[in-house]
Amino acid sequence: MNLQDLLYGVSIKSVVGVSQLEIGALTFDSRTVNAGTLFFAIKGTAVDGHEFIGKTIDAGASAIICETLPSILNDKVTYVVVEDSSEALGVVACNFYGNPSTELKLVGVTGTNGKTTIATLLYQLFSKLNYGTGLISTVQNQIKDKIVPATHTTPNPIALNQLLREMVSEGCEYCFMEVSSHAVSQHRIAGLTFAGAVFSNITHDHLDFHKTFDNYIKAKKGFFDMLPKSAFALTNTDDKNGMVMLQNTKAHKKTYGLKQMADFKAKVIENRFSGLHLEIDQTDVYFKMVGSFNAYNLLAAYATAVLLEQDKMKVLTALSALSGAEGRFDYIVSKTGIVGIVDYAHTPDAVQNVLSTIADIRKGTEQVITVIGCGGDRDKTKRPVMAQVACDWSDKVILTSDNPRTEDPQAIIKDMEMGVSPSNQRKAISILDRKEAIKTACHLAKPGDIILIAGKGHEKYQEVNGVRHHFDDKEIINEQLNQIS
């Protein structure tokens, strides 16, 4: 494709060299450069792509997009100086793949908790309504029935546009995708055309990246700020920062909620392990999913479908049969009546949501035993808070490893132990090995007790010292509970 055409919509400061140039590939990884490649020099958190410009030219790069020119220029290479290389990458990737987001209805879901469930529910719902549908999520990406493994919540712009182009080629009319705060800040969604955006909630998370909660809110809001007039912007009016998302958007503003006044309302009639009984827009519906947090997720999915001009009753009928995303309040019941719940909850708010749901459902005599850890190389400030929440809402707590990554797992647990108050110390024990922690919880449980395994949810691995090993919470608790007669 011609470089000049690829640069359409990019904020360019200057061009050195010819712009009438054929480009065969895009990359921001210097190791993948071949002849005819357009290389993007991006300043990352660990490395600066500008340091590899010379290497990419030696490998055959035809053109370079950069924020500052190298001191020595090659007269056979075109240099395009831009304000932000990451943003340019997003726009150019859209152009390179023929702007696939304009050929289907793309809806983004953002928020601290609920993104995966809402996006997955929408994917399942529109598939059930017989539309060709795509999904881009933390758990997995899907093109109709074809599963494409996910590596990031929101892929890089090249992978993202390639995926969207494949969806269009396969006949997808809709795509529902999670939009992470990292993706907004790093311009991974730059150049995309969205038909709508959904906000679930915002709580303490990712402060290792955003530094302050205010920056985190601004990143989420930035997604809504970029929406076109033709799109809808749907927010949770019960979240105290929900209306902030709509402040500067050009899109049609809509709200949903259980408590506050909203365009789309729901009321929890009954909440049991067998499912939720909700009243949505004056209609009684029974759902397979459990918990008030899932009432919000179901309402968000319903509201989104209605805003996409789907029939209300068909939507509610289809939603009532769905079970949401893997690793979100997945539960099993042993032969002795012990309930095991596996959930991805990895923020203080998410842990409290799951435990408060358990508190609503329990009869009062059962013990709640929580197994919980915190990820390494991530926001350290939430560790003591998560331990405190787990202790406040549980009868017994086992602090353990999650994905320590490159951190010392014992040091992570020590951070968590700081949140265990003197009055809660009798409840909490620390077991470094996660499998042993789950095994201990199962042996502590009596018939009728509830075990929550929090933090990893759908993940089938544990990352230790940068290496991923097979590890599946649900597999382990199943195995352990089956051994208890």
Side-chain angles (χ1 to χ4, degrees):
M1 194 171 177
N2 192 283
L3 177 61
Q4 188 166 317
D5 295 332
L6 287 175
L7 294 174
Y8 179 76
V10 175
S11 179
I12 299 170
K13 292 170 81 173
S14 64
V15 178
V16 179
V18 295
S19 57
Q20 291 295 339
L21 182 69
E22 280 302 308
I23 298 296
L26 313 178
T27 188
F28 54 91
D29 184 344
S30 61
R31 297 166 296 182
T32 61
V33 172
N34 294 304
T37 298
L38 171 57
F39 174 69
F40 293 79
I42 292 173
K43 292 176 181 175
T45 51
V47 293
D48 184 350
H50 290 76
E51 295 172 11
F52 302 96
I53 290 175
K55 179 186 172 184
T56 64
I57 292 170
D58 292 341
S62 299
I64 308 291
I65 286 187
C66 53
E67 293 171 19
T68 53
L69 283 170
S71 54
I72 300 170
L73 301 181
N74 185 316
D75 58 9
K76 293 179 182 176
V77 174
T78 299
Y79 301 84
V80 182
V81 183
V82 297
E83 287 287 345
D84 190 308
S85 297
S86 296
E87 189 170 3
L89 173 61
V91 175
V92 171
C94 289
N95 292 336
F96 187 82
Y97 287 99
N99 292 292
S101 64
T102 63
E103 297 179 49
L104 44 63
K105 284 186 170 21
L106 176 64
V107 176
V109 184
T110 197
T112 307
N113 303 310
K115 292 190 299 293
T116 304
T117 299
I118 295 168
T120 303
L121 281 172
L122 285 164
Y123 164 79
Q124 293 174 347
L125 169 63
F126 276 73
S127 298
K128 211 170 178 66
L129 295 173
N130 296 316
Y131 291 104
T133 311
L135 171 68
I136 301 172
S137 81
T138 303
V139 176
Q140 65 191 27
N141 303 322
Q142 285 196 229
I143 303 169
K144 292 186 173 177
D145 294 330
K146 177 184 169 186
I147 296 171
V148 182
T151 55
H152 293 79
T153 299
T154 310
N156 72 67
I158 298 170
L160 181 52
N161 279 278
Q162 189 175 15
L163 196 56
L164 290 170
R165 174 47 61 195
E166 194 176 342
M167 287 178 185
V168 171
S169 299
E170 292 293 324
C172 289
E173 300 161 81
Y174 293 90
C175 174
F176 301 100
M177 69 177 283
E178 292 185 53
V179 176
S180 67
S181 55
H182 291 68
V184 180
S185 298
Q186 295 169 349
H187 303 293
R188 282 184 236 160
I189 57 171
L192 295 178
T193 301
F194 285 89
V198 183
F199 172 77
S200 59
N201 52 63
I202 192 162
T203 60
H204 188 131
D205 202 14
H206 302 306
L207 299 194
D208 54 317
F209 178 81
H210 295 291
K211 306 306 178 191
T212 67
F213 191 59
D214 190 47
N215 287 342
Y216 183 36
I217 293 170
K218 283 176 182 173
K220 297 288 187 191
K221 181 178 175 295
F223 174 37
F224 287 83
D225 292 350
M226 65 170 275
L227 293 172
K229 285 181 181 178
S230 57
F232 66 81
L234 176 67
T235 195
N236 177 0
T237 191
D238 290 347
D239 186 279
K240 64 181 180 182
N241 290 296
M243 297 310 290
V244 172
M245 301 299 141
L246 305 185
Q247 283 175 355
N248 302 105
T249 188
K250 301 183 197 75
H252 301 287
K253 301 174 182 180
K254 295 292 178 181
T255 58
Y256 70 97
L258 272 65
K259 300 170 187 172
Q260 306 295 325
M261 289 289 290
D263 297 306
F264 298 93
K265 287 280 289 179
K267 181 182 177 184
V268 178
I269 307 297
E270 203 168 28
N271 180 20
R272 294 183 176 181
F273 279 125
S274 56
L276 275 166
H277 174 193
L278 301 181
E279 182 187 280
I280 295 182
D281 279 353
Q282 289 84 51
T283 305
D284 271 22
V285 192
Y286 291 85
F287 297 94
K288 290 183 177 181
M289 297 169 70
V290 179
S292 58
F293 60 96
N294 274 325
Y296 282 102
N297 296 334
L298 287 159
L299 180 58
Y302 166 76
T304 301
V306 172
L307 290 170
L308 290 170
E309 301 179 337
Q310 300 303 305
D311 179 80
K312 291 182 179 184
M313 288 311 298
K314 284 182 180 177
V315 168
L316 288 175
T317 302
L319 273 177
S320 68
L322 302 181
S323 53
E326 183 188 2
R328 272 65 177 174
F329 214 91
D330 269 0
Y331 74 94
I332 55 167
V333 182
S334 75
K335 292 173 187 172
T336 60
I338 297 169
V339 177
I341 299 167
V342 172
D343 195 274
Y344 189 54
H346 60 283
T347 67
D349 188 66
V351 174
Q352 184 167 331
N353 280 340
V354 175
L355 285 168
S356 64
T357 292
I358 292 168
D360 288 342
I361 298 170
R362 68 189 290 204
K363 297 184 178 85
T365 54
E366 320 91 324
Q367 285 190 111
V368 176
I369 304 167
T370 297
V371 178
I372 189 166
C374 291
D377 303 331
R378 297 293 187 269
D379 183 0
K380 293 184 178 184
T381 62
K382 68 181 181 183
R383 292 172 184 172
V385 187
M386 285 176 65
Q388 181 186 343
V389 170
C391 288
D392 287 347
W393 286 82
S394 310
D395 298 291
K396 289 188 175 72
V397 175
I398 303 174
L399 305 178
T400 189
S401 294
D402 190 287
N403 290 318
R405 299 184 176 91
T406 63
E407 269 195 84
D408 175 4
Q410 193 68 63
I412 296 172
I413 290 176
K414 283 194 179 300
D415 286 344
M416 294 184 75
E417 287 171 345
M418 297 293 288
V420 181
S421 66
S423 60
N424 281 330
Q425 279 178 359
R426 60 179 178 79
K427 293 183 180 180
I429 58 171
S430 298
I431 300 175
L432 194 64
D433 184 282
R434 190 174 179 90
K435 185 172 183 178
E436 280 302 312
I438 296 170
K439 186 176 179 181
T440 301
C442 292
H443 284 286
L444 287 172
K446 299 181 179 67
D449 286 351
I450 301 161
I451 302 168
L452 170 65
I453 315 294
K456 289 174 56 59
H458 63 281
E459 292 177 351
K460 303 291 189 292
Y461 64 85
Q462 187 175 36
E463 189 174 330
V464 184
N465 291 325
V467 179
R468 291 187 174 190
H469 309 270
H470 176 75
F471 197 100
D472 185 335
D473 282 352
K474 195 168 182 182
E475 187 180 284
I476 292 166
I477 193 170
N478 248 319
E479 176 189 290
Q480 293 300 319
L481 289 179
N482 283 334
Q483 290 175 13
I484 299 169
S485 56

